[in-house]
Short mmCIF file of all heavy atoms in Angstrom, two decimals:
data_model
loop_
_atom_site.label_atom_id
_atom_site.label_comp_id
_atom_site.label_asym_id
_atom_site.label_seq_id
_atom_site.Cartn_x
_atom_site.Cartn_y
_atom_site.Cartn_z
N ASP A 647 -15.80 -77.65 11.49
CA ASP A 647 -16.67 -76.73 10.76
C ASP A 647 -16.14 -75.31 10.77
O ASP A 647 -16.39 -74.53 9.84
CB ASP A 647 -18.09 -76.76 11.33
CG ASP A 647 -18.90 -77.93 10.81
OD1 ASP A 647 -18.46 -78.56 9.83
OD2 ASP A 647 -19.97 -78.24 11.39
N TRP A 648 -15.43 -74.93 11.83
CA TRP A 648 -14.84 -73.60 11.88
C TRP A 648 -13.85 -73.42 10.74
O TRP A 648 -13.85 -72.37 10.07
CB TRP A 648 -14.14 -73.38 13.22
CG TRP A 648 -13.54 -72.01 13.35
CD1 TRP A 648 -14.15 -70.89 13.84
CD2 TRP A 648 -12.20 -71.62 12.99
NE1 TRP A 648 -13.28 -69.83 13.80
CE2 TRP A 648 -12.08 -70.24 13.29
CE3 TRP A 648 -11.10 -72.28 12.45
CZ2 TRP A 648 -10.90 -69.52 13.06
CZ3 TRP A 648 -9.92 -71.58 12.21
CH2 TRP A 648 -9.83 -70.22 12.51
N PHE A 649 -13.01 -74.42 10.50
CA PHE A 649 -12.05 -74.35 9.40
C PHE A 649 -12.78 -74.34 8.06
O PHE A 649 -12.41 -73.60 7.14
CB PHE A 649 -11.08 -75.53 9.47
CG PHE A 649 -10.15 -75.49 10.65
CD1 PHE A 649 -10.46 -76.17 11.82
CD2 PHE A 649 -8.97 -74.77 10.60
CE1 PHE A 649 -9.62 -76.12 12.91
CE2 PHE A 649 -8.12 -74.71 11.68
CZ PHE A 649 -8.44 -75.39 12.85
N ARG A 650 -13.82 -75.16 7.95
CA ARG A 650 -14.57 -75.24 6.69
C ARG A 650 -15.21 -73.91 6.34
O ARG A 650 -15.19 -73.49 5.17
CB ARG A 650 -15.63 -76.35 6.80
CG ARG A 650 -16.43 -76.54 5.52
CD ARG A 650 -17.45 -77.65 5.64
NE ARG A 650 -16.81 -78.97 5.69
CZ ARG A 650 -16.76 -79.75 6.76
NH1 ARG A 650 -17.29 -79.33 7.91
NH2 ARG A 650 -16.16 -80.92 6.71
N HIS A 651 -15.74 -73.21 7.32
CA HIS A 651 -16.47 -71.97 7.05
C HIS A 651 -15.58 -70.73 7.10
O HIS A 651 -15.97 -69.68 6.58
CB HIS A 651 -17.62 -71.80 8.05
CG HIS A 651 -18.65 -72.88 7.96
ND1 HIS A 651 -19.26 -73.23 6.78
CD2 HIS A 651 -19.17 -73.71 8.91
CE1 HIS A 651 -20.12 -74.21 7.00
NE2 HIS A 651 -20.08 -74.52 8.28
N THR A 652 -14.38 -70.85 7.71
CA THR A 652 -13.53 -69.67 7.90
C THR A 652 -12.44 -69.55 6.86
O THR A 652 -12.15 -68.44 6.38
CB THR A 652 -12.90 -69.70 9.31
OG1 THR A 652 -13.92 -69.81 10.28
CG2 THR A 652 -12.09 -68.44 9.57
N VAL A 653 -11.80 -70.65 6.48
CA VAL A 653 -10.61 -70.55 5.62
C VAL A 653 -10.80 -71.19 4.25
O VAL A 653 -9.88 -71.13 3.42
CB VAL A 653 -9.37 -71.15 6.31
CG1 VAL A 653 -9.10 -70.46 7.63
CG2 VAL A 653 -9.52 -72.66 6.52
N ILE A 654 -11.92 -71.81 3.98
CA ILE A 654 -12.15 -72.44 2.68
C ILE A 654 -12.89 -71.46 1.76
O ILE A 654 -13.86 -70.84 2.17
CB ILE A 654 -12.94 -73.75 2.81
CG1 ILE A 654 -12.20 -74.73 3.72
CG2 ILE A 654 -13.19 -74.37 1.44
CD1 ILE A 654 -10.80 -75.08 3.27
N ASP A 655 -12.41 -71.32 0.53
CA ASP A 655 -13.04 -70.42 -0.42
C ASP A 655 -13.01 -71.06 -1.81
O ASP A 655 -12.42 -72.14 -1.99
CB ASP A 655 -12.34 -69.07 -0.44
CG ASP A 655 -13.28 -67.92 -0.78
OD1 ASP A 655 -14.28 -68.17 -1.48
OD2 ASP A 655 -13.01 -66.78 -0.36
N THR A 656 -13.62 -70.39 -2.78
CA THR A 656 -13.75 -70.91 -4.14
C THR A 656 -12.82 -70.17 -5.09
O THR A 656 -12.75 -68.93 -5.05
CB THR A 656 -15.21 -70.76 -4.64
OG1 THR A 656 -16.08 -71.42 -3.71
CG2 THR A 656 -15.39 -71.38 -6.01
N VAL A 657 -12.10 -70.90 -5.92
CA VAL A 657 -11.20 -70.29 -6.90
C VAL A 657 -12.02 -69.48 -7.90
O VAL A 657 -12.98 -69.99 -8.48
CB VAL A 657 -10.38 -71.38 -7.63
CG1 VAL A 657 -9.50 -70.74 -8.71
CG2 VAL A 657 -9.53 -72.17 -6.63
N PRO A 658 -11.66 -68.21 -8.12
CA PRO A 658 -12.44 -67.38 -9.05
C PRO A 658 -12.21 -67.76 -10.51
O PRO A 658 -11.37 -68.60 -10.83
CB PRO A 658 -11.93 -65.96 -8.75
CG PRO A 658 -10.59 -66.14 -8.15
CD PRO A 658 -10.61 -67.45 -7.42
N ALA A 659 -12.94 -67.07 -11.37
CA ALA A 659 -13.04 -67.48 -12.78
C ALA A 659 -11.77 -67.25 -13.59
O ALA A 659 -11.63 -67.80 -14.68
CB ALA A 659 -14.21 -66.76 -13.45
N ASN A 660 -10.82 -66.46 -13.09
CA ASN A 660 -9.64 -66.15 -13.89
C ASN A 660 -8.51 -67.17 -13.73
O ASN A 660 -7.38 -66.92 -14.14
CB ASN A 660 -9.12 -64.75 -13.54
CG ASN A 660 -8.91 -64.54 -12.05
OD1 ASN A 660 -9.73 -64.95 -11.24
ND2 ASN A 660 -7.81 -63.91 -11.69
N TYR A 661 -8.81 -68.33 -13.14
CA TYR A 661 -7.82 -69.40 -13.00
C TYR A 661 -8.36 -70.70 -13.60
O TYR A 661 -9.58 -70.91 -13.64
CB TYR A 661 -7.47 -69.64 -11.53
CG TYR A 661 -6.73 -68.49 -10.88
CD1 TYR A 661 -7.40 -67.62 -10.01
CD2 TYR A 661 -5.39 -68.25 -11.16
CE1 TYR A 661 -6.74 -66.56 -9.41
CE2 TYR A 661 -4.71 -67.20 -10.56
CZ TYR A 661 -5.39 -66.36 -9.70
OH TYR A 661 -4.72 -65.30 -9.12
N PRO A 662 -7.45 -71.60 -14.05
CA PRO A 662 -7.91 -72.89 -14.60
C PRO A 662 -8.76 -73.70 -13.62
O PRO A 662 -9.63 -74.46 -14.04
CB PRO A 662 -6.60 -73.62 -14.93
CG PRO A 662 -5.59 -72.53 -15.14
CD PRO A 662 -5.99 -71.44 -14.18
N GLY A 663 -8.51 -73.54 -12.31
CA GLY A 663 -9.25 -74.30 -11.31
C GLY A 663 -10.51 -73.62 -10.83
O GLY A 663 -10.99 -73.92 -9.72
N ARG A 664 -11.06 -72.72 -11.65
CA ARG A 664 -12.24 -71.97 -11.24
C ARG A 664 -13.34 -72.90 -10.73
O ARG A 664 -13.64 -73.92 -11.34
CB ARG A 664 -12.77 -71.12 -12.39
CG ARG A 664 -13.10 -71.87 -13.65
CD ARG A 664 -13.48 -70.90 -14.77
NE ARG A 664 -13.70 -71.60 -16.03
CZ ARG A 664 -12.73 -71.89 -16.90
NH1 ARG A 664 -11.47 -71.58 -16.61
NH2 ARG A 664 -13.01 -72.51 -18.03
N GLY A 665 -13.91 -72.54 -9.59
CA GLY A 665 -14.97 -73.33 -8.98
C GLY A 665 -14.47 -74.36 -7.98
O GLY A 665 -15.27 -74.91 -7.22
N ARG A 666 -13.15 -74.60 -7.93
CA ARG A 666 -12.61 -75.57 -6.98
C ARG A 666 -12.57 -74.98 -5.57
O ARG A 666 -12.23 -73.80 -5.38
CB ARG A 666 -11.20 -76.00 -7.41
CG ARG A 666 -10.54 -77.00 -6.44
CD ARG A 666 -9.18 -77.46 -6.92
NE ARG A 666 -9.27 -78.22 -8.16
CZ ARG A 666 -9.64 -79.49 -8.22
NH1 ARG A 666 -9.97 -80.14 -7.11
NH2 ARG A 666 -9.68 -80.12 -9.38
N GLN A 667 -12.89 -75.78 -4.57
CA GLN A 667 -12.81 -75.38 -3.18
C GLN A 667 -11.37 -75.55 -2.69
O GLN A 667 -10.78 -76.62 -2.84
CB GLN A 667 -13.75 -76.21 -2.32
CG GLN A 667 -15.23 -75.97 -2.60
CD GLN A 667 -15.69 -74.65 -2.00
OE1 GLN A 667 -15.74 -74.48 -0.78
NE2 GLN A 667 -16.03 -73.69 -2.86
N VAL A 668 -10.80 -74.49 -2.11
CA VAL A 668 -9.40 -74.51 -1.69
C VAL A 668 -9.22 -73.78 -0.36
O VAL A 668 -10.10 -73.01 0.06
CB VAL A 668 -8.49 -73.84 -2.75
CG1 VAL A 668 -8.52 -74.60 -4.07
CG2 VAL A 668 -8.87 -72.37 -2.96
N TYR A 669 -8.07 -74.03 0.26
CA TYR A 669 -7.58 -73.18 1.34
C TYR A 669 -6.61 -72.23 0.65
O TYR A 669 -5.49 -72.60 0.31
CB TYR A 669 -6.89 -74.02 2.40
CG TYR A 669 -6.29 -73.25 3.55
CD1 TYR A 669 -6.63 -71.94 3.84
CD2 TYR A 669 -5.35 -73.87 4.38
CE1 TYR A 669 -6.08 -71.26 4.91
CE2 TYR A 669 -4.79 -73.19 5.47
CZ TYR A 669 -5.15 -71.89 5.71
OH TYR A 669 -4.60 -71.20 6.77
N PRO A 670 -7.00 -70.98 0.40
CA PRO A 670 -6.20 -70.07 -0.44
C PRO A 670 -4.84 -69.76 0.16
O PRO A 670 -4.68 -69.63 1.37
CB PRO A 670 -7.06 -68.80 -0.51
CG PRO A 670 -8.44 -69.23 -0.15
CD PRO A 670 -8.26 -70.35 0.83
N GLY A 671 -3.86 -69.63 -0.73
CA GLY A 671 -2.51 -69.33 -0.30
C GLY A 671 -2.40 -68.00 0.42
O GLY A 671 -1.62 -67.86 1.38
N PHE A 672 -3.19 -66.99 0.01
CA PHE A 672 -3.07 -65.68 0.66
C PHE A 672 -3.52 -65.74 2.11
O PHE A 672 -3.00 -65.02 2.97
CB PHE A 672 -3.83 -64.61 -0.12
CG PHE A 672 -5.32 -64.76 -0.16
CD1 PHE A 672 -6.11 -64.23 0.84
CD2 PHE A 672 -5.93 -65.43 -1.20
CE1 PHE A 672 -7.50 -64.36 0.81
CE2 PHE A 672 -7.31 -65.57 -1.25
CZ PHE A 672 -8.11 -65.03 -0.24
N LEU A 673 -4.48 -66.63 2.44
CA LEU A 673 -4.89 -66.79 3.83
C LEU A 673 -3.81 -67.52 4.64
O LEU A 673 -3.56 -67.21 5.80
CB LEU A 673 -6.20 -67.55 3.91
CG LEU A 673 -7.48 -66.78 3.52
CD1 LEU A 673 -8.70 -67.69 3.65
CD2 LEU A 673 -7.65 -65.54 4.40
N GLN A 674 -3.18 -68.50 3.99
CA GLN A 674 -2.09 -69.20 4.66
C GLN A 674 -0.95 -68.23 4.96
O GLN A 674 -0.37 -68.25 6.05
CB GLN A 674 -1.58 -70.34 3.77
CG GLN A 674 -2.63 -71.39 3.46
CD GLN A 674 -2.14 -72.36 2.41
OE1 GLN A 674 -1.09 -72.97 2.57
NE2 GLN A 674 -2.88 -72.51 1.31
N HIS A 675 -0.64 -67.38 3.98
CA HIS A 675 0.45 -66.42 4.16
C HIS A 675 0.14 -65.46 5.31
O HIS A 675 1.02 -65.14 6.12
CB HIS A 675 0.68 -65.65 2.87
CG HIS A 675 1.76 -64.63 2.96
ND1 HIS A 675 1.52 -63.29 3.16
CD2 HIS A 675 3.12 -64.76 2.92
CE1 HIS A 675 2.66 -62.64 3.22
NE2 HIS A 675 3.65 -63.50 3.08
N ALA A 676 -1.12 -65.02 5.38
CA ALA A 676 -1.52 -64.14 6.49
C ALA A 676 -1.31 -64.84 7.83
O ALA A 676 -0.88 -64.21 8.81
CB ALA A 676 -2.98 -63.73 6.32
N GLY A 677 -1.59 -66.13 7.87
CA GLY A 677 -1.37 -66.89 9.10
C GLY A 677 0.10 -67.00 9.44
O GLY A 677 0.48 -66.89 10.62
N PHE A 678 0.96 -67.21 8.42
CA PHE A 678 2.41 -67.28 8.66
C PHE A 678 2.90 -65.97 9.29
O PHE A 678 3.65 -65.97 10.28
CB PHE A 678 3.17 -67.52 7.35
CG PHE A 678 2.84 -68.81 6.66
CD1 PHE A 678 2.99 -68.93 5.28
CD2 PHE A 678 2.39 -69.91 7.37
CE1 PHE A 678 2.70 -70.11 4.63
CE2 PHE A 678 2.09 -71.10 6.73
CZ PHE A 678 2.25 -71.19 5.35
#
């Protein structure tokens, strides 16, 4: 649940996948 609530977000409206639940690349990059 920590991963679900901490790193999962929704794709915003300016992308074809708007509304999809994802682990965003910018958060992954911050982790790297």
Side-chain angles (χ1 to χ4, degrees):
D647 279 346
W648 182 89
F649 292 95
R650 182 179 289 110
H651 297 308
T652 305
V653 302
I654 302 302
D655 210 333
T656 304
V657 177
N660 52 317
Y661 293 104
R664 57 186 175 274
R666 179 177 294 282
Q667 293 285 292
V668 297
Y669 178 17
F672 66 87
L673 286 180
Q674 299 171 55
H675 179 260
F678 298 153

